[in-house]
Every structure is written in structure tokens, then in C-alpha cells.
Amino acid sequence: DAKTTQPNSMESNEEEPVHLPCNHSTISGTDYIHWYRQLPSQGPEYVIHGLTSNVNNRMASLAIAEDRKSSTLILHRATLRDAAVYYCILRDPGGTSYGKLTFGQGTILTVHP
Amino acid sequence: DTEVTQTPKHLVMGMTNKKSLKCEQHMGHRAMYWYKQKAKKPPELMFVYSYEKLSINESVPSRFSPECPNSSLLNLHLHALQPEDSALYLCASSQVHLAGGKETQYFGPGTRLLVL
């Protein structure tokens, strides 16, 4: 499985944008890039996913580099409720790992009031 | 309704006990998952069920026994656990297994298990 690398932690102030980076230099052409987050004392929650083009939804935006070796999750205005562990995950649509979510260590996001 | 429910929320058991964890979803999803999460670690996949059949077993010890009685229910039967099995056990579901890498998983809040 292709691996992802994320910073261990990041900090932000409330109502400011947050850019969470993820490196995936060994990504294959068919891997989807998924982001999940886990709020304290809760199960993980889907945030967004993409393949090649940038994606937007009500929670966040996903910016994917042209070579797909990195991506950035963008929270446009962080709130205290966005404090969580953010996981960047590559999903292989085929092969022996299909159906699996392989979580890395993730980035702990702290949001200051 | 995009909710996955898990019961119980907390469970304390001895090493000789038998207990079961229960997971339920009513989203019509045909893939269901069990994950284990140790403190301050990411979740790790244990089992995947696809159309009520066991699809993936990540070499989990036999003291953990999954069961999928119907498309809405997933159980995890526990027997003769060890203290190192203490963890948060998460259930998840998705619309269909093998959906080309695009399907999203919906997670329950987990059962926090303590083995004494």
C-alpha cells in the first residue's frame, strides 16, 4: 500500500483558514485520496476525497498537486469544533487492499479561541 | 439517517468472561467493518463483511469472533481476552465493498473495552 506522511500536529486560531498537508510520493495512478477526522471521544468521520481534481464540499476543500504526490486539506474558517485528528488515507480501488482504510498517524489539529 | 450505533458504550470484562459487542446501521449498507483503536494510536482494521460474508480477516486472534446475522447487524463475540485487548472497538459501514476506491465509511462512536 502507498504510504502517507503528515505532520504530527498543527495549531490554528479560530476563524482562520487551516491548511493540512499530506505527502504521498508513492501514490499510484488509481489511488483515491481520502481524508477522515476523529474528534475527541468519537469515531472517525469522513471529510472529503478526490482523485485528480480539486474538490469542495460543505466541510472542506481538497487541493491535489498536479503530480498527485501531495495534497492539502483546507478548512476555510476553523472553529473550536474542528479540533481533531485528521487522517489522510490512500484508497486503492483494486488489488488485495480493497475495502480497507489504512490509517496513518494523522495530524492533531489544535484550534485556539 | 447516517448513523451507526454501537452497544454497549463501555464494557469491563474479566479474562474468563464471554461478551459481545453489537453494531447496527439502517442505511442499507452492505459492507460492515470492525476496527480496533488503542489509546493515542490510529484505528486498525480487524474484519470486513461484504454482503453478510466475511471478506477480510486481518489475522485477528480467534478469541475475537465476528458475526453478521443480517445486512443491518454486526456482532463481535469476545472470549478469553487478554488485558492487552483493552481498546476502543469501532464499527463502520459503507454502501458497497469494492466500490472503486470512492466509497466512504461511516463509523459508530465505538465501545470502550477494559479487560481485567
Side-chain angles (χ1 to χ4, degrees):
Chain A
D1 290 339
K3 301 294 184 191
T4 63
T5 304
Q6 300 177 251
N8 289 333
S9 62
M10 291 187 65
E11 297 188 16
S12 172
N13 294 318
E14 206 174 4
E15 298 189 7
E16 290 184 356
V18 180
H19 291 232
L20 296 164
C22 181
N23 286 321
H24 27 78
S25 57
T26 59
I27 191 170
S28 77
T30 54
D31 284 343
Y32 279 81
I33 302 162
H34 285 246
W35 284 81
Y36 282 74
R37 71 180 185 181
Q38 188 170 18
L39 279 64
S41 302
Q42 294 189 29
E45 171 187 34
Y46 166 78
V47 178
I48 200 166
H49 77 274
L51 184 62
T52 56
S53 305
N54 294 344
V55 185
N56 299 299
N57 67 20
R58 64 174 180 82
M59 288 181 70
S61 296
L62 176 60
I64 301 172
E66 200 168 329
D67 63 6
R68 299 208 332 122
K69 293 184 184 301
S70 66
S71 61
T72 302
L73 179 70
I74 302 166
L75 307 179
H76 294 286
R77 288 179 73 237
T79 70
L80 297 178
R81 293 186 68 250
D82 291 321
V85 181
Y86 285 79
Y87 296 102
C88 170
I89 303 168
L90 299 183
R91 283 294 322 279
D92 178 2
T96 59
S97 64
Y98 46 72
K100 290 178 61 170
L101 280 180
T102 303
F103 289 82
Q105 293 303 311
T107 297
I108 301 171
L109 175 65
T110 301
V111 180
H112 299 290
Chain B
D1 181 10
T2 58
E3 189 178 22
V4 175
T5 59
Q6 290 188 244
T7 54
K9 284 186 169 37
H10 301 273
L11 180 62
V12 180
M13 61 185 290
M15 290 188 284
T16 59
N17 291 157
K18 284 185 183 181
K19 296 286 185 183
S20 296
L21 309 184
K22 180 180 172 181
C23 173
E24 197 164 2
Q25 56 87 14
H26 296 288
M27 294 178 276
H29 290 171
R30 302 307 298 273
M32 296 186 77
Y33 311 78
W34 280 115
Y35 289 82
K36 174 182 178 179
Q37 186 173 25
K38 300 281 280 183
K40 299 194 184 304
K41 296 290 188 184
E44 294 180 338
L45 183 68
M46 300 174 72
F47 303 103
V48 179
Y49 272 83
S50 178
Y51 295 94
E52 294 93 69
K53 290 191 182 346
L54 185 62
S55 176
I56 296 177
N57 176 343
E58 291 287 277
S59 302
V60 179
S62 60
R63 58 185 183 270
F64 296 90
S65 176
E67 178 196 22
C68 190
N70 61 56
S71 59
S72 301
L73 278 176
L74 186 66
N75 298 320
L76 186 63
H77 303 297
L78 314 173
H79 173 54
L81 294 193
Q82 303 297 311
E84 59 264 29
D85 296 321
S86 299
L88 181 68
Y89 288 85
L90 293 159
C91 173
S93 70
S94 65
Q95 197 160 26
V96 64
H97 190 200
L98 308 181
K102 291 178 286 188
E103 85 277 12
T104 60
Q105 292 186 17
Y106 293 81
F107 284 80
T111 293
R112 195 163 296 280
L113 174 67
L114 177 62
V115 182
L116 300 177

